[in-house]
Amino acid sequence: MTDWLSRHVPKIVLAPTFFAVLLFVYGFIAWTAWVSFTRSKLMPRYDIDGLIQYDRLFSNPRWDTALNNLFVFGALFIVISMVLGLLLAIFLDQKIRIEGALRTIYLYPMALSMIVTGTAWKWILNPGLGIQAMVQGWGFPNFKFDWLINPKMALYTIVLAAIWQASGFVMALFLAGLRSVDGEIIKAAQVDGIPTWRVYTAIIIPSMAPIFLSAFIVLAHLAIKSFDLVIALTGGGPGYATDLPATYMYAMAFSRGDLGQAASSAMIMMGVVFAIVVPYLYSELRAKHD
Amino acid sequence: MKHMTAFAALSAATLTATVAMAEPQAEVLHWWTSGGEAKAVAVLQKQFSDRGGVWTDMPVAGGGGDAAMSALRARVLSGNAPTAVQLKGPAIQEWYDEGVLADISDVAEAQHWDDVLPAQIAEHMKCDGHWCAAPVNVHRVNWVWANKSILEANGIEMPTTWEEFNAAADKLKAAGITPLAHGGQAWQDATIFETVVLGIGGPDFYQKALVDLDPDALTSDTMKSVFDEMRKLRGYVDDNFSGRDWNLATAMVMNGEAAFQIMGDWAKGEFLAAGKEPGVDFVCAPTPGDAGFLYNVDSFAMFKVDGKDKQDGQKLLAELIVGPSFQETFNLNKGSIPVRTDVSLDKFDDCAKKSAADMKADGAAGSLLPSMAHGMALHGAQSGAIMDVVTAHFNSDMSSDDAVKMLADAVANSM
């Protein structure tokens, strides 16, 4: 009896969550996929009608903009956050006196909600209130910094705010990674008279590969789900210049009563996520077999 | 034992309450939660309870009704629709197509709605020939609001054509005044756009282009000149307009930072709330053009509900909403005009009187037209597609030719 219990209790305990996840995650993914093949408007309908929603999606210039923005924003955000985070971590790793305080200061932006970050940066970047007005007030009337209202540059204001928010967190990740590198190897390298920058580039950073991967995964999913930052900072504007797939999907589902369109854009977003997560899972699982 | 008695008394009280429950019931879903709006709803609520009804308020704040529509969807999907819901334009018919709207024709016929409502507006309240919604008010969308002292100081008359508007704006710009107060949000860009379509193309063109979505009209030279004018208007807006809320733009006109604003008559509410008087501090005029009245009508659609008390509540609600006394008090609070043409306008201001007179005249002339930007003319997906193009053009250096082509593509894609 106790044998039977000890074998089956874990299964019994896990069963409810297992079924909940099966239904509320995978069930609803399947449901969304189904809806994306229908002509659903205000309410879901279930008559399959081929790829009509995907056709509409990819002939819509606004979706093109949204998808392009995601790749530009994602690439810049991930690369710059990682580089900046790594540099900050290396600087902080130099056994300086007020490291604790500095670490808190750099990490602090992560404690703010994206909405707060977005709203604050909206004021800072507003040409009539923020940096532009301030510098002009200092006596440089020709100074211009109007990215926020310039459709070609507005996307980069989102990159700016997102980096400000996330790079401290990346720094914390890397700092932990740096501290975990075996001190013996570093000492051995120093004894051999190898310059510090070579120690970092040839020994420490390569040994931190798993941390890079984790940081990349975290940043990539932050980029794909970015929604609140755009809403607070630019509202998707000027025009729809800073639209991202998430804001596109929201507009279709909740403002325009175009559920089929929203579902198809959600499926594409999921495809993008899978493209990142599947290789990651693959490498994780393979590592276990070795 | 003492507890038992109290419990018995309590259940007896509940029982009597249940017996008396035959009174009309209404659960009303709306998103009028800001100051003037909430006051306006309270008027209806009071009239409803004065007639013995039980009102359950279901306000859902935020997002211009997006949040309320999500709540509605959830309620309808779970088979428990509210009694009445704030809905407007083709969205009423969209919900009717889902098979969830009720028939209130008996109230409408008993109250002779057909005789007192403008025919075009009445049409929005009907589903397949029977009445399914009750209109509350009429907002006119094609208004220009102007700061009177700025106009006088610069010797400018209220413009009646877009050429005159451009001339006036150039003069103001030269004098260092922002000619046009505007907020760079898609719906505000679209509000200006539709008044330009009406002003340059005339009512027939408006009907063809933005209501019937006729491809020839959408790609016509007239539409190109509409986009040319939009490009000019873009030049009259200050640099800081992106993402600004409409009421902040109204405040710019009020404070003398800008001369004009093109906005529906809800802007009047801002002027009045700041103690300004029409004709003294600010001027209202229809947007440039010969004729036409773009309306935005708020209404309550009645959903299918079970139980006689709820159906009675629905009928009472419909009767009160279109009743003359509610129409007067509500619209005085909301800044709009009564949808009934037989309500006395003595208590209304001059802009409202002008609006009501024009509604009658344009109704007779066939130039009473639904607003595209405010969801009266088209389904959400279609007006959304047009608004995307308008805002993309307004916020870039796209040529009018490209804009016209993009417009036709977007409309075809939204079907």
Side-chain angles (χ1 to χ4, degrees):
Chain A
M1 188 62 199
T2 41
D3 252 19
W4 186 88
L5 267 182
S6 67
R7 249 187 303 131
H8 289 93
V9 159
K11 287 176 199 158
I12 295 166
V13 170
L14 274 178
T17 41
F18 178 75
F19 285 114
V21 167
L22 201 66
L23 176 63
F24 290 106
V25 177
Y26 298 98
F28 283 151
I29 289 177
W31 183 81
T32 308
W34 185 292
V35 170
S36 78
F37 292 113
T38 67
R39 280 181 187 269
S40 299
K41 286 277 178 198
L42 213 51
M43 300 276 268
R45 283 176 207 169
Y46 300 104
D47 319 315
I48 295 273
D49 201 356
L51 291 171
I52 169 93
Q53 298 295 357
Y54 293 91
D55 272 353
R56 288 182 59 202
L57 191 65
F58 284 100
S59 54
N60 188 341
R62 181 169 166 179
W63 173 253
D64 275 358
T65 310
L67 212 54
N68 277 336
N69 282 350
L70 176 64
F71 291 126
V72 173
F73 167 74
L76 288 175
F77 167 64
I78 292 170
V79 169
I80 301 178
S81 291
M82 298 240 277
V83 170
L84 215 59
L86 183 62
L87 285 177
L88 285 173
I90 291 174
F91 290 148
L92 266 188
D93 196 31
Q94 306 306 312
K95 313 267 180 324
I96 47 174
R97 205 182 310 153
I98 48 165
E99 192 203 308
L102 282 177
R103 208 169 45 202
T104 314
I105 290 169
Y106 286 134
L107 193 56
Y108 197 72
M110 197 66 183
L112 293 179
S113 129
M114 282 280 189
I115 292 283
V116 177
T117 306
T119 310
W121 277 93
K122 185 160 95 177
W123 292 334
I124 296 169
L125 294 167
N126 184 314
L129 299 168
I131 297 175
Q132 179 179 317
M134 184 179 75
V135 177
Q136 284 180 352
W138 287 345
F140 304 96
N142 294 323
F143 178 81
K144 234 174 138 72
F145 186 62
D146 62 350
W147 285 10
L148 190 64
I149 60 163
N150 180 344
K152 291 203 176 72
M153 303 303 288
L155 183 64
Y156 303 106
T157 63
I158 295 179
V159 176
L160 206 66
I163 290 173
W164 178 83
Q165 172 128 11
S167 54
F169 166 72
V170 179
M171 175 210 74
L173 276 182
F174 282 144
L175 199 56
L178 289 175
R179 297 282 154 83
S180 70
V181 175
D182 190 354
E184 297 295 316
I185 305 174
I186 299 172
K187 278 199 189 111
Q190 280 165 346
V191 168
D192 286 348
I194 295 169
T196 317
W197 67 270
R198 286 264 347 241
V199 175
Y200 274 105
T201 51
I203 301 170
I204 299 180
I205 293 174
S207 68
M208 280 171 30
I211 307 271
F212 274 94
L213 197 61
S214 320
F216 174 76
I217 294 290
V218 169
L219 290 175
H221 99 265
L222 274 180
I224 292 165
K225 74 173 188 188
S226 275
F227 174 80
D228 33 9
L229 182 64
V230 179
I231 295 293
L233 184 58
T234 63
Y240 52 72
T242 53
D243 228 8
L244 289 178
T247 58
Y248 180 91
M249 195 216 76
Y250 180 87
M252 293 302 151
F254 298 109
S255 311
R256 294 202 180 159
D258 206 343
L259 277 184
Q261 210 27 201
S264 62
S265 64
M267 293 314 289
I268 301 290
M269 275 168 71
M270 197 180 70
V272 174
V273 175
F274 275 8
I276 295 168
V277 171
V278 167
Y280 171 70
L281 287 179
Y282 180 73
S283 71
E284 284 284 285
L285 294 176
R286 203 187 50 177
K288 279 204 185 102
H289 282 300
D290 284 348
Chain B
M1 192 61 218
K2 207 170 161 194
H3 288 293
M4 275 298 271
T5 335
F7 179 73
L10 197 69
S11 28
T14 330
L15 205 67
T16 26
T18 327
V19 172
M21 278 273 256
E23 57 210 3
Q25 299 264 338
E27 187 182 6
V28 184
L29 173 65
H30 62 89
W31 58 89
W32 281 329
T33 46
S34 78
E37 294 171 344
K39 227 156 104 191
V41 174
V43 173
L44 184 60
Q45 204 168 342
K46 186 172 178 309
Q47 288 194 353
F48 193 73
S49 30
D50 285 352
R51 292 276 297 269
V54 179
W55 173 290
T56 314
D57 210 27
M58 191 186 166
V60 180
D66 286 359
M69 286 301 103
S70 302
L72 174 62
R73 221 175 274 167
R75 290 284 301 264
V76 171
L77 278 172
S78 67
N80 175 29
T83 317
V85 179
Q86 187 188 348
L87 275 185
K88 64 183 187 181
I92 298 173
Q93 277 76 34
E94 276 187 89
W95 280 105
Y96 174 74
D97 290 340
E98 304 290 344
V100 290
L101 290 196
D103 186 348
I104 50 164
S105 297
D106 44 348
V107 182
E109 276 149 26
Q111 304 289 322
H112 307 289
W113 287 6
D114 260 326
D115 302 333
V116 292
L117 303 179
Q120 291 88 336
I121 291 172
E123 219 33 61
H124 288 285
M125 307 301 144
K126 292 180 184 171
C127 302
D128 257 354
H130 68 75
W131 295 81
C132 53
V136 177
N137 62 359
V138 178
H139 280 295
R140 183 180 202 171
V141 177
N142 57 328
W143 277 120
V144 184
W145 308 93
N147 181 308
K148 197 169 185 219
S149 52
I150 292 186
L151 294 196
E152 274 167 5
N154 292 280
I156 290 170
E157 294 280 311
M158 232 16 204
T160 56
T161 65
W162 284 105
E163 286 80 29
E164 282 177 33
F165 185 91
N166 296 342
D170 286 333
K171 200 168 169 186
L172 288 162
K173 211 174 169 185
I177 299 162
T178 303
L180 184 63
H182 178 58
Q185 294 168 333
W187 70 269
Q188 295 190 51
D189 299 339
T191 301
I192 296 191
F193 173 75
E194 65 178 11
T195 68
V196 177
V197 171
L198 178 68
I200 289 183
D204 287 341
F205 179 75
Y206 182 95
Q207 170 79 27
K208 267 198 207 119
L210 297 188
V211 184
D212 304 337
L213 298 178
D214 172 19
D216 293 337
L218 289 173
T219 51
S220 63
D221 288 341
T222 316
M223 193 53 91
K224 274 180 202 158
S225 36
V226 168
F227 279 109
D228 290 342
E229 177 63 30
M230 289 299 285
R231 178 64 63 235
K232 281 200 185 114
L233 290 173
R234 170 68 183 81
Y236 299 143
V237 171
D238 65 321
D239 282 343
N240 229 352
F241 74 105
S242 232
R244 178 189 284 145
D245 284 324
W246 67 271
N247 51 335
L248 299 180
T250 310
M252 288 172 67
V253 176
M254 222 183 290
N255 303 333
E257 289 163 41
F260 297 107
Q261 184 189 15
I262 294 168
M263 185 48 65
D265 51 17
W266 45 93
K268 187 179 69 190
E270 295 286 305
F271 283 107
L272 296 181
K276 309 277 181 191
E277 261 182 70
V280 180
D281 304 299
F282 68 96
V283 199
C284 57
T287 47
D290 295 331
F293 184 109
L294 300 183
Y295 60 81
N296 176 16
V297 176
D298 286 312
S299 49
F300 279 99
M302 303 299 170
F303 279 67
K304 275 185 190 155
V305 283
D306 292 329
K308 189 167 183 316
D309 49 349
K310 284 185 180 169
Q311 283 161 1
D312 284 349
Q314 202 160 47
K315 283 173 187 158
L316 177 58
L317 200 62
E319 183 189 328
L320 289 171
I321 286 174
V322 189
S325 87
F326 169 72
Q327 288 278 326
E328 185 186 81
T329 30
F330 177 88
N331 285 302
L332 281 170
N333 278 322
K334 182 92 175 9
S336 41
I337 59 168
V339 61
R340 287 175 79 106
T341 47
D342 62 345
V343 175
S344 153
L345 293 166
D346 294 342
K347 290 187 196 154
F348 286 81
D349 58 70
D350 291 344
C351 296
K353 283 179 186 152
K354 163 103 180 117
S355 187
D358 284 356
M359 178 172 85
K360 248 182 207 166
D362 283 306
S367 47
L368 186 58
L369 294 160
S371 157
M372 182 278 296
H374 297 276
M376 295 300 298
L378 301 169
H379 290 198
Q382 295 166 338
S383 55
I386 296 179
M387 283 160 78
D388 281 347
V389 178
V390 169
T391 192
H393 170 265
F394 198 75
N395 286 290
S396 66
D397 47 12
M398 192 190 296
S399 74
S400 301
D401 286 321
D402 289 347
V404 163
K405 198 176 164 300
M406 206 171 149
L407 185 67
D409 289 348
V411 166
N413 190 32
S414 71
M415 299 294 186

